[in-house]
Amino acid sequence: MLDGKVALVTGGTRGIGLATARALAEAGATVVLTGRDEAKAKEAAAAAGAASGLALDVTDAKAVSTLVRGVAKEHGKLDIVVANAGIMEDALLGMIREELVDTTLSTNVAGTLHTVQAAARAMMRKKTGAIVVLASIVGEHGSAGQTVYAASKAAVANIARSAAKELGRSGIRVNAVAPGVIDTDLTSGLTEDAKAENIGKTPLGRLGTPEDVANAIRFLVSDDAAFITGQVLGIDGGLVL
Ligand code: NAD
């Protein structure tokens, strides 16, 4: 399905990023994954069947640009970029510290933007490419105690919608996935009661797995999705927040 394609996945050391790197590699792509820690990135790359694991902090615009250019140069092109790196920290309105605003927006919004910009630059030469960014059901509907995260993910969805409009004529598709509650380290802080409450509000009656999201991303970056761009695809078992 992805034979001959070159793919980059940010935040690929665990959770959805790791599952996505594995799914793309299993579909035949040459995958480069990144993580903040080089040793962890190399370990994850070996586990996922990826070609390499590199260190990258997505908040550093210059580092993102240099790494993306380097990957495209080494492999001769870049077909697929998944801007997955992200963080989530809950805080009620009255408890939101400035530091939380800074770290969340610089990672989720600026980090995604840097990645999409660098990907677009690398893909522009060949006039083809597929980019997926990680939004969230929370960014589409809002969630008490998650105002900062929700704002950041609404921004991510609109990065996809806007970049898709700008890049379509260059043959580059940009879509977002909006997962519901997925069982990863990010959501490991949820109490059993909170998990049960979410499952109760989910028609499919379970939490999502990283593979549920990875499979949808694999579809969106494949040629089967050749006429799909600017979409925000919910992967949430029907969860109603
Ligand atoms: P996770 O915490 O397991 O993994 C996140 C990854 O991003 C990690 O590898 C982490 O090291 C990396 N990362 C964080 N900050 C980074 C930075 N500055 N530079 C580079 N890498 C960085 O989380 P996950 O559940 O796998 O989430 C992946 C993405 O999916 C995130 O963007 C998250 O917001 C989004 N998402 C997750 C859920 C969920 O329920 N798990 C729901 C909706 C959206």
Side-chain angles (χ1 to χ4, degrees):
M1 194 177 179
L2 299 178
D3 278 340
K5 305 271 190 193
V6 178
L8 173 69
V9 181
T10 68
T13 54
R14 64 186 201 191
I16 293 168
L18 179 60
T20 300
R22 186 177 287 124
L24 301 186
E26 281 172 2
T30 298
V31 179
V32 176
L33 68 77
T34 72
R36 275 173 297 186
D37 181 282
E38 189 174 2
K40 279 191 190 146
K42 287 193 186 318
E43 203 179 300
S52 57
L54 305 173
L56 178 68
D57 182 337
V58 297
T59 63
D60 183 343
K62 197 154 182 278
V64 175
S65 164
T66 305
L67 182 137
V68 171
R69 212 178 324 119
V71 171
K73 195 168 177 209
E74 186 184 343
H75 296 278
K77 60 175 184 161
L78 186 58
D79 303 294
I80 295 164
V81 170
V82 182
N84 165 77
I87 55 172
M88 179 184 84
E89 195 182 319
D90 294 354
L92 293 167
L93 277 174
M95 305 295 285
I96 294 170
R97 294 163 289 105
E98 209 43 40
E99 193 206 336
L100 173 66
V101 178
D102 288 346
T103 53
T104 305
L105 297 187
S106 64
T107 306
N108 295 0
V109 183
T112 300
L113 195 56
H114 300 149
T115 309
V116 171
Q117 283 180 300
R121 249 180 258 127
M123 291 168 175
M124 205 74 88
R125 285 184 297 123
K126 300 240 177 210
K127 289 213 172 292
T128 178
I131 301 170
V132 171
V133 301
L134 269 289
S136 167
I137 191 170
V138 165
E140 301 299 292
H141 298 282
S143 167
Q146 296 195 298
T147 300
V148 179
Y149 180 72
S152 78
K153 290 299 181 178
V156 167
N158 278 299
I159 289 173
R161 293 184 180 108
S162 301
K165 290 194 161 114
E166 203 170 309
L167 298 173
R169 294 296 167 110
S170 301
I172 301 167
R173 299 185 296 105
V174 190
N175 290 292
V177 289
V181 183
I182 311 299
D183 198 5
T184 67
D185 287 316
L186 192 91
T187 51
S188 60
L190 284 177
T191 62
E192 287 308 313
D193 280 355
K195 283 185 185 170
E197 194 189 329
N198 277 303
I199 291 169
K201 291 191 284 187
T202 303
L204 291 182
R206 63 172 176 86
L207 298 182
T209 65
E211 290 71 26
D212 287 325
V213 184
N215 291 342
I217 293 174
R218 183 183 51 199
F219 162 68
L220 284 173
V221 300
S222 77
D223 290 344
D224 284 347
F227 203 50
I228 301 176
T229 197
Q231 301 303 306
V232 180
L233 178 61
I235 302 161
D236 52 23
L239 171 63
V240 180
L241 280 185

